[in-house]
Amino acid sequence: MHATSVFRSLALLTAAGAVVAQGPAAPRGIESLLPASTYAVAQFGGLAACSDVATHLPLGRLVADFLAKVPQDVKAERLERGLEMAAQQVQQRLQHAGVRPADLRAMLARPMALAMGRLTIEGMGPSVALVIDQGNDGEAVQRVWVALVQMAVHLHEGLAVGNSTAGDVPVQTVTLPNGFSILAGTLGNCFVVTNSRGYLAEMAAVAAGQAKRLDRPGWVREAQDGAAAVPLAALAINLAGVNNSLRPHLPYEAEAWADAFGLGALDTIRVESVAGAHGGIDRCEVQLGGSKQGLLKAISGRPVELGFANACSKNTVLFGAETIDLAALLDAGQRCFDLLPLPAREEMKREIGRELRRELRHIGLTPAELERLLRAFGGSLGYALAIEPGALPKPELLLHLTVRDADTVGALLQRLEAMTTREARIEWKTRRVGDHDVRFCNVQPPGADLQFSPGYVLSGDSLWVASDTAALVRALRTDGDDCLATQPDFQQLAQASRGASSVLHVRWFRGVELGWRNVETLLYSLVDAHADEIGFGSDALPDQETLAKALGCSSLIYRVDDAGMRWEVRGPITLGTVLAGFGSLADQVLDRASGKVF
């Protein structure tokens, strides 16, 4: 690049701070700027939020307590040294780029969003904008921008830097030789970098109340026992505008097909992560039209039944309940089939029937018998894994399925018994438990010292299956006051999952309580045996109560209806808590790099 060109660019850069700071007043907050034409937006709560959350997370407090008990020289060797080396490398790289670590840290501490809007000819593609809520760190954000532009000027010959406007917004422009431009300006308290003059002008119109802003909920904000959850990350994809423009041009039968398949217009996808003193919450929502009785949604279209928890032990460490309505799925498939033109329907019926009969012949079933068998089950599945106390705690798996046609299911079970007897020489026995006949067998895996006695009982509208007969007997005799359903954590889950189609609940704290004696015997003695090598003993490790409280519970809740599907994950380890941990680590490295001089 010629010296005069470089001098001209650098001269313009000295005025960059003044130019980008002269935008019109705008409401505070990123969401107040995004126009309705935005197709997608990814948000980040900032490193400051990550660091704050990390110190309050249950696992964060556990790690802090552990580090406080580790000898100082061990921390200096194993932890501080690594952080110092990382800080040194970061500082050296940023120094080469002309960016002050303190400025970069201040910028990354702020909430920001990356948004994508309509196509732009000037920007040679979709409009993309990075929006940073500057807060009180506007000068640091603009110094980072100026440093990046200075580096680009030196590295790329022919790069032109100038001043312009986007609507009423003063902007600085960085233009490549091929005409592609990047614009930077300030709207209210937000710093915006974009490739689209039109998108930035539309943001200014939104800020002035002259254009509609993106209609979507903000961050997930809710309280957990009085402790607020902090927003850390979110992603939203908005396709409603595209669908609305296409809808008048779709075939007349499109709505009927959408309901039959449960697959209508995909309007919005949202993913949000928050975290706080009680762990993290991740939510995903897919706004997908189509009836919940359609093919895609029918199998889980009914609310889940949690009554199975009354038969589960209070020592359950994993509980799950699902709606799996095979009869509804078959009915939905028939409705889809009936929408086909008659010739196509008859042809598919012949082809599918021929293939199905050929495959079923190997297991001795006809298509009609298979359909009757699938419809025989009631549509609800429950499963639980318990660890009962003992000299050697043994996991016990319990399954529960609702039944519509007990005769058909009973015939299937008899066939399975006969097959296992014939092929594996397994002997089935009967044990009377109250009013129930429990069928069981004894199985000892090759080379194993343990013997299992799996069993089942078909009673009325329920089929019970267990990995061990003792678990089945315990389920049939469970005391209503001493079961999983009466435990506080499960009652909270039941309240949070009303109307859900699927629930998974992991009780980490109960697993710690039940297995603590083995952990203390094996792990703690192992740590003490190698204390000289690792630098700390078992006294630095958390005790049972501390670990159980930090781990708590994890839950996954799934809902489906006419509007779409929603997933929610809660617990000590979620996307939000992981992001908080890595963000806090990055903030510490930048903090150390800010104070180093090399």
Side-chain angles (χ1 to χ4, degrees), residues 48 56 76 91 108 171 179 214 233 238 251 277 369 411 419-420 427 466 497 505:
H56 294 91
Q91 198 278 344
L108 295 179
V171 295
L214 181 63
N238 175 31
E369 290 172 336
M419 183 180 66
T420 55
E427 180 183 0
S497 61
H505 186 56

Side-chain angles (χ1 to χ4, degrees), residues 517-597:
R517 187 172 65 177
N518 294 317
V519 171
E520 194 172 30
T521 301
L522 299 176
L523 178 60
Y524 277 42
S525 59
L526 184 63
V527 169
D528 287 333
H530 296 82
D532 293 338
E533 301 173 29
I534 61 178
F536 59 88
S538 61
D539 58 323
L541 299 179
D543 57 26
Q544 173 186 328
E545 182 180 355
T546 302
L547 184 59
K549 184 178 180 180
L551 292 177
C553 300
S554 291
S555 62
L556 169 62
I557 301 173
Y558 168 67
R559 291 179 170 85
V560 60
D561 53 29
D562 293 342
M565 290 86 78
R566 291 172 297 281
W567 293 263
E568 179 179 285
V569 179
R570 296 170 177 254
I573 303 178
T574 62
L575 291 176
T577 60
V578 171
L579 180 59
F582 280 106
S584 176
L585 181 62
D587 188 59
Q588 289 188 41
V589 171
L590 286 172
D591 185 30
R592 291 167 182 262
S594 300
K596 291 197 171 294
V597 178

Side-chain angles (χ1 to χ4, degrees), residues 442-458:
N442 296 318
V443 178
Q444 184 171 6
D449 295 332
L450 293 176
Q451 179 175 285
F452 298 91
S453 56
Y456 72 88
V457 59
L458 179 60

